[in-house]
Each structure stands twice: as structure tokens, then as C-alpha cells.
Amino acid sequence: MTDTAAVEILADVHRGVGRILLNRPKALNALTTGMVVAIDRVLAEWERIPLSAVVLASTSTKAFCAGGDIRTIREHSLAGDAEASERFFASEYRLNARIAEYPVPVVSLIDGLCMGGGLGLSVHGSFRVVTERAVLAMPETGIGFFPDIGASYFLPRLPGAIGMYLGLTGHRLDAADALYTGLATHFIPADGLDAVGDALADNPGDPVDVVLNRLAGRSPVAESGLAEVRGDVDWAFGAPSLGEIEKRLRHLETPWAAAALVAVESASPQSLEITHALLARGREHTLRECLDAELALTRTTIRTPDFLEGVRAALVDKDRTPTWQRASLGGRTLSA
């Protein structure tokens, strides 16, 4: 293959609708720098032609996108190649901003896993369609990292303390939870996804929302498990400090609180501190300001023992038993 990224990203324009397919199924569409740059280039070119919408989807039923290729970032860090990591994150965040500011609606079709960088591709667009197989999460604190791709912008803007809960614990949302939180906008059964592009092309004058509603199945939002524990989520994760969050979770003595406590206690302490500070501040900043702060944080975080150890345990050796050590990032970086 002369251009791997071109094969891993399939793009065309069909009757006024741009279509981008993520096509790296064996890696669950984990994003490489080449893939990110390829998507960004396509979107930049399409800004010059009249489109009614852009559809972003996957060739795999297992995953929309499982996130950035973090294993490769770890390899760069071990090799001392800071420039390669910087290029990845800067390219990814530039793409996030482009999607957020895109002149026509971007419609993401989320079938299967959508984590980290996958949310960066979808959440900043106008419409996020989920199927019954959708699973959404920001699991970064479990690998010694922090919720990035603009998460410090969109998580604090979710209702109540849901964003802090998702950012600190990496809790996985099903379709019902995704719709309840607003991370997803529409529910369409998996067997109806292929009809979306044609429906948008057939009805270029209709609002995208109306076209998607015509294809929608019965929304599962009433079955949201998160909705059932919402009061506890807001009370515990609305606490002003990490210590107080843990204290309130212990006080609740419910199965949900016990599971949340396990998630918090097994995450990297360094990551929890960074994440709590980032999300507490994110509501006051624009998306671009949040992305800039996140980019500054990546430079230090990916060099820390917790990041190297977290990725090793989750993605390299896959033993799921990271040994965390506290590594100070210093106040200067956290306030970036």
C-alpha cells in the first residue's frame, strides 16, 4: 500500500452528502496521525463544495472508533520522540475544532465502541446517532492519562455532575445513557444505519434532525441506568474535592456507589487530580481554549511513569494491574 491512511479512511461525495468511513477494523479504528490528517484534509477540501451534510461512520460493526492509537504514543515516549506525539495530539485537536466549527451538519453513526478519540470525532458534530450496540466512554484515568479531545469542554456541560463522573471513572454508557446525557442525539437501530446517507441525499432541503427522526427507532432513553442514580451522581461527584467525592461515595452504600468507588480507587491518582482540575475549570472556557490547555498537558503527562505504566497494563501486556506512583506535574502545567 502506498498510502495506508488513504485505505484506512474512505471518503466520497454522494449526491451532495460527504461520506467518511473509518476503515481500520482490526484496530477498532484506533486513530493514527495519518488517519487524523487524512480526515482533516478531506473536510478542508469539502468546505469548498456545496454539501447538505457530512456523514462519519465505520466499516466495522464492533467499533465506530476505540480512540487514539495510545500504544504508539507510549512507544514515542519511550523512544524520546516528543515531536511525533506532539504531531498526533495537535493534529487530532485541530480536527476536533474543525468538526465543531464545520459549515454543514456533521452526522456521526455510532455503532459499537466509541471511546476517547472516537468521541472527539463525533461529539463536536451536530448529530450523534447511536444504535443498540453503542458503547461510549472516556476511560483515560485508567491508563494514566486524562480525558482530552475537548472533553474538558463538553463533559462539564453535561447535566449536573455527570461529566465529572464520566471523566473520573471512565464509566461506559449504553445507547440509553448516551441519549439521556445528550452525548447522543438520535437512536437508529443498527440495521437502519445504511439508509441515513441516502435519506439525507434524498431530502437536502429538510432539516437533518427531521430526516433522522424519520429513520429513528423507539428511543431506549427511558431505560437509562444513569437516570436512575442521577441524584446520587450529582451529590457525590458534585463535591468540591476528590477526597470529598470518595467520602460521599462511601457514605451512600449502594451498588452504584461501590462500583464508582472501585473505579476511582483503581485509576491513576495523578490522572484523577489532573482530570478534576481540568473539568472544574472547563465550563469557563471555549472549546479552543480547552483544546490548547489539553495540548499543553499532553506534553508532560505522556512522559510520566503513570502513563507509561497505565498503557502497558491496559494495552501492551494487558494484565490490567497497573502499579501507580504519584508524579508531580507542578501547578504551572495544571493551570495552563
Side-chain angles (χ1 to χ4, degrees):
M1 290 180 199
T2 51
D3 186 355
T4 308
V7 178
E8 292 173 344
I9 299 296
L10 308 174
D12 69 356
V13 175
H14 179 65
R15 293 191 293 142
V17 175
R19 300 184 299 187
I20 297 173
L21 286 176
L22 305 177
N23 187 40
R24 195 186 176 209
K26 283 184 181 169
L28 301 178
N29 293 328
L31 296 169
T32 62
T33 305
M35 290 168 72
V36 169
V37 170
I39 297 170
D40 196 52
R41 192 181 298 137
V42 167
L43 289 176
E45 287 170 5
W46 285 353
E47 284 183 18
R48 298 197 291 269
I49 60 177
L51 296 176
S52 59
V54 170
V55 173
L56 201 51
S58 164
T59 58
S60 165
T61 57
K62 286 185 180 173
F64 171 74
C65 171
D69 193 344
I70 293 293
R71 283 180 65 167
T72 300
I73 299 300
R74 179 181 185 268
E75 287 163 17
H76 294 328
S77 294
L78 290 171
D81 191 352
E83 198 180 319
S85 297
E86 176 96 8
R87 196 161 54 243
F88 171 75
F89 288 116
S91 302
E92 186 180 28
Y93 300 173
R94 188 164 53 246
L95 173 58
N96 298 152
R98 185 186 296 280
I99 289 169
E101 297 162 4
Y102 210 62
V104 300
V106 177
V107 182
S108 293
L109 307 182
I110 301 170
D111 188 25
L113 286 176
C114 178
M115 297 188 180
L119 281 166
L121 290 180
S122 53
V123 165
H124 300 299
S126 312
F127 301 98
R128 287 87 61 189
V129 176
V130 287
T131 73
E132 66 277 13
R133 294 188 292 233
V135 178
L136 283 67
M138 292 297 293
E140 289 76 13
T141 59
I143 58 164
F145 198 53
F146 61 90
D148 64 329
I149 49 85
S152 60
Y153 177 82
F154 68 77
L155 286 180
R157 285 165 174 78
L158 296 183
I162 287 173
M164 188 64 80
Y165 167 55
L166 298 181
L168 292 177
T169 66
H171 176 74
R172 294 184 171 206
L173 305 170
D174 60 13
D177 287 340
L179 290 158
Y180 174 71
T181 60
L183 287 172
T185 59
H186 294 76
F187 176 78
I188 296 177
D191 60 11
L193 280 192
D194 288 346
V196 172
D198 284 335
L200 291 169
D202 289 341
N203 304 279
D206 291 354
V208 171
D209 186 51
V210 171
V211 176
L212 294 176
N213 281 333
R214 287 189 199 123
L215 298 172
R218 180 185 154 272
S219 173
V221 70
E223 293 138 41
S224 167
L226 200 46
E228 289 178 22
V229 294
R230 174 67 190 283
D232 287 348
V233 170
D234 287 356
W235 181 67
F237 285 87
S241 68
L242 283 169
E244 183 64 21
I245 288 172
E246 290 193 33
K247 196 155 81 174
R248 291 185 185 185
L249 286 173
R250 284 198 182 86
H251 178 80
L252 282 169
E253 294 184 341
T254 64
W256 169 79
L261 191 59
V262 166
V264 169
E265 289 180 336
S266 61
S268 155
Q270 167 187 281
S271 294
L272 294 174
E273 286 163 10
I274 295 171
T275 300
H276 190 268
L278 259 186
L279 300 188
R281 179 178 302 124
R283 202 190 292 258
E284 299 165 22
H285 296 295
T286 65
L287 173 60
R288 282 190 176 269
E289 287 169 343
C290 287
L291 288 168
D292 286 345
E294 291 169 12
L295 185 58
L297 270 172
T298 64
R299 294 179 187 128
T300 46
T301 309
I302 61 172
R303 292 190 180 92
T304 61
D306 269 16
F307 174 75
L308 300 175
E309 170 65 3
V311 179
R312 179 207 65 76
L315 301 173
V316 181
D317 299 334
K318 300 184 181 177
D319 56 35
R320 304 275 170 193
T321 53
T323 304
W324 305 122
Q325 57 175 285
R326 289 186 171 272
S328 172
L329 291 177
R332 182 189 57 76
T333 308
L334 279 179
S335 59

